[in-house]
Structures are given as C-alpha cells and as structure tokens.
Amino acid sequence: MTLQMEMSLKYNEGKKLGLELGKKQGMELGKLYGLNQGMAKAKLDSAVIAVKKFNLPVEDVAREYGVPVDEIKKIL
C-alpha cells in the first residue's frame, strides 16, 4: 500500500468517526433542548404543505414523511 493510499484510508476512517460522533452529540443536544418535538412539527407541516400544494393523497404523504394520517387530516 502506498503512503497516499494509507493517508486516504486514515482520512476516510477519521471522517466516518467524526460524523458518527457529531450525530451522537447532536441527538443528545436535541433531547436536551426538545428539538425532537420541533422536528416532528416540521415534518407534519411539510406533509400538510405537500398534500395541499401538490394535491397528493394523504396516505402516501403520511407514509413518506412518517407522520400519522389523522394528524395531517386534523390540520387540513
């Protein structure tokens, strides 16, 4: 293995580890600040917009966005 190949391998390993650690830290901060609720609200809002703007079936949008059908129907 050449030096360049070794450096590239180590770079990719470090990048992967950094992304994993960043994601973990982000999830912990999200729980601390209640961002999970905000993300759920944003998903619901986006689903409602998709149904209204693009005239898509509620069931398809609910499945795609991972939100309950009845929650979308409440807002519509």
Side-chain angles (χ1 to χ4, degrees), residues 10-27:
K10 294 298 180 185
Y11 170 81
N12 288 330
E13 289 174 357
K15 184 177 177 182
K16 183 178 176 183
L17 179 62
L19 289 172
E20 290 171 3
L21 292 174
K23 184 176 180 181
K24 182 180 176 184
Q25 184 181 21
M27 293 297 287

Side-chain angles (χ1 to χ4, degrees), residues 61-73:
V61 172
R63 184 175 43 255
E64 186 68 30
Y65 282 86
V67 295
V69 172
D70 59 326
E71 291 294 320
I72 295 172
K73 289 182 177 181

Side-chain angles (χ1 to χ4, degrees), residues 42-73 76:
K43 285 173 96 175
L44 179 59
D45 291 345
S46 295
V48 170
I49 290 169
V51 170
K52 286 182 178 180
K53 186 172 183 178
F54 301 110
N55 199 26
L56 297 171
V58 174
E59 293 77 14
D60 292 345
V61 172
R63 184 175 43 255
E64 186 68 30
Y65 282 86
V67 295
V69 172
D70 59 326
E71 291 294 320
I72 295 172
K73 289 182 177 181
L76 294 173

